[in-house]
Amino acid sequence: MGAKDIVGVCSEKNADFITGLGATHVVDYAKETITSFCLEGGKEIKNDSKFDVIYDAASYSGAGEDYRDSAVELLKLPTEATQHGQYVGINGSPGFWMRGLTIGLPK
């Protein structure tokens, strides 16, 4: 895909697996959030530290997780030269997918 940085969020035990898949950075969710990773010690996340694409494979996976709202906040904002970032949810109930394909996801 030509990505400069790929950030994987997983447990420490899966870090080697994720880097083997091509991640250039790994965030251990037991020690830090992806939001704190993007803050880089600051108080505000710069657009350069935000993501072009977020593939969310954790939300709606069956244990009640929902990271969509926090993920959307980490997407790049549109500029004159670029489009806004894209959120791609991998999991979801059949109703979730049907709504997304027909009338759109809730805001």
Side-chain angles (χ1 to χ4, degrees):
M1 289 191 335
K4 178 179 143 194
D5 292 304
I6 300 173
V7 181
V9 180
C10 62
S11 64
E12 183 177 14
K13 73 176 185 171
N14 291 319
D16 288 339
F17 174 69
I18 296 301
T19 54
L21 292 174
T24 55
H25 306 280
V26 175
V27 176
D28 179 352
Y29 62 75
K31 296 178 182 174
E32 133 180 80
T33 66
I34 188 68
T35 302
S36 63
F37 172 83
C38 291
L39 281 169
E40 300 173 347
K43 294 184 181 191
E44 185 177 318
I45 300 172
K46 299 174 189 163
N47 203 44
D48 290 349
S49 297
K50 292 186 176 187
F51 298 96
D52 294 315
V53 179
I54 293 178
Y55 292 101
D56 180 357
S59 291
Y60 313 110
S61 62
E65 307 94 333
D66 184 358
Y67 301 108
R68 183 183 181 278
D69 290 342
S70 59
V72 168
E73 291 177 8
L74 298 175
L75 291 171
K76 282 189 176 175
L77 301 173
T79 66
E80 289 183 17
T82 63
Q83 296 181 354
H84 60 80
Q86 297 292 312
Y87 172 83
V88 181
I90 305 298
N91 297 313
S93 67
F96 176 81
W97 283 103
M98 289 307 297
R99 180 183 176 105
L101 295 172
T102 57
I103 63 172
L105 297 174
K107 302 269 185 231

